[in-house]
Amino acid sequence: MGRSIAASLAVLAALTGCTVQTPDGDGKRRSPVHIEIPSSTPSPLRSPTGDDKPSTAPAPARVLWSPGDTGRDVRELQARLRQVAWLFEGPTGTYGEATERAVSGFQGKRGLPRTGRTDTLTWQRLLGMTREPGRWDLYLMGGQPADPPDARCTSGRVLCIDKTSRTLRWMIDGRTVSTMSVRFGSQYTPTREGVFSVYWKSRDHVSTLYDSPMPYAMFFSGGQAVHYSADFAARGYGGASHGCVNVRDEQAIAELYAQVRNGDKVVVSW
């Protein structure tokens, strides 16, 4: 009879997850059956690697800049892409087709998805391969803001030229009519500073000293003039003039040339 009861308890234990309690060390017998009731909360799924953490998909990289975006951050992106030879124009501050192609090429080379959009993964990889761009890396091809005008520019008709911000303001009676990026002479052929006046204009001038074109030339000090420079348009601040004030925007200087008169003041300052 005792064996039959024990066998029945064993079957019950197997079916319900019970365990049969044996006498404790003191010889006292406890409840003969302990029933373990399964929890109603399921255990989390194990990851394929076998650890105990639930398997979760990584969050997608956040897009920082994409085609059509503009601004200083885009200039920095372009300057850094130039450092690793994926971009050769600009920086322009506008995320155009050339920037999109450069980003896509950079991504493909590093095994990242070739989206052409700059996401956080792409940006972190680029940061690790480049240095912080300086001001004239960001504005290599111009486009920088002008500093406040020199006090000597606030009256009359003035070509107000600032060597610090590398800009020219065309001002009439204290009002800025137009602003453009300019380039100056090197340390061996510096652009003179001071207050001058336009004494001669020459639309299709060619330098007799250097045999180089100087379109829209407006002479203000000896052989130094404000004029258009194809070299500045092509190389930006990677080069220098022989002392003249170079303008890279041909349309802008053509309009300026049409407005400036002989006798108008020229101020060149730091």
Side-chain angles (χ1 to χ4, degrees):
M1 182 66 176
R3 291 181 181 179
S4 176
I5 293 173
S8 297
L9 290 174
V11 172
L12 179 61
L15 292 175
T16 63
C18 304
T19 56
V20 178
Q21 302 297 307
T22 58
D24 288 343
D26 58 3
K28 296 180 180 180
R29 188 175 295 276
R30 305 290 185 242
S31 174
V33 177
H34 172 68
I35 301 175
E36 295 180 353
I37 302 175
S39 171
S40 60
T41 304
S43 299
L45 295 175
R46 293 176 179 267
S47 69
T49 58
D51 58 25
D52 291 334
K53 295 181 180 179
S55 177
T56 57
R62 180 169 60 91
V63 174
L64 301 174
W65 309 290
S66 58
D69 288 343
T70 60
R72 192 266 182 204
D73 289 341
V74 174
R75 281 188 181 275
E76 181 174 347
L77 167 67
Q78 293 168 331
R80 289 180 183 273
L81 287 169
R82 284 179 59 87
Q83 291 180 34
V84 291
W86 277 104
L87 187 66
F88 299 97
E89 67 175 36
T92 64
T94 299
Y95 203 122
E97 291 183 3
T99 303
E100 184 178 8
R101 288 194 301 270
V103 170
S104 178
F106 178 85
Q107 290 169 328
K109 185 73 173 180
R110 273 89 200 161
L112 301 172
R114 298 183 62 137
T115 65
R117 299 186 300 274
T118 305
D119 55 34
T120 51
L121 290 177
T122 303
W123 181 237
Q124 288 301 319
R125 185 67 62 87
L126 185 59
L127 286 178
M129 298 176 61
T130 55
R131 59 172 175 78
E132 180 75 20
R135 182 181 186 188
W136 301 115
D137 295 319
L138 297 175
Y139 295 102
L140 176 65
M141 306 307 288
Q144 68 274 16
D147 287 348
D150 187 280
R152 295 169 291 181
C153 300
T154 55
S155 63
R157 299 165 57 88
V158 192
L159 291 172
C160 190
I161 300 166
D162 186 344
K163 284 188 168 183
T164 302
S165 64
R166 301 182 182 182
T167 55
L168 180 155
R169 289 176 182 262
W170 168 230
M171 303 184 68
I172 300 177
D173 297 331
R175 177 176 61 89
T176 299
V177 179
S178 60
T179 305
M180 57 201 73
S181 302
V182 291
R183 187 177 73 171
F184 305 102
S186 68
Q187 61 177 324
Y188 305 107
T189 56
T191 303
R192 290 183 280 274
E193 297 135 33
V195 180
F196 312 92
S197 62
V198 176
Y199 71 86
W200 180 38
K201 294 172 61 179
S202 180
R203 166 63 180 78
D204 299 304
H205 195 78
V206 176
S207 170
T208 56
L209 183 60
Y210 299 105
D211 193 31
S212 58
M214 298 171 56
Y216 306 103
M218 294 169 278
F219 289 88
F220 62 87
S221 177
Q224 294 190 355
V226 177
H227 68 84
Y228 171 72
S229 169
D231 182 75
F232 184 22
R235 300 173 58 201
Y237 291 110
S241 75
H242 294 104
C244 287
V245 178
N246 291 164
V247 178
R248 68 182 305 272
D249 186 333
E250 187 170 8
Q251 180 178 348
I253 195 170
E255 294 173 357
L256 179 64
Y257 183 88
Q259 297 174 57
V260 171
R261 308 168 187 164
N262 286 342
D264 286 345
K265 185 163 60 174
V266 180
V267 176
V268 182
S269 65
W270 280 103

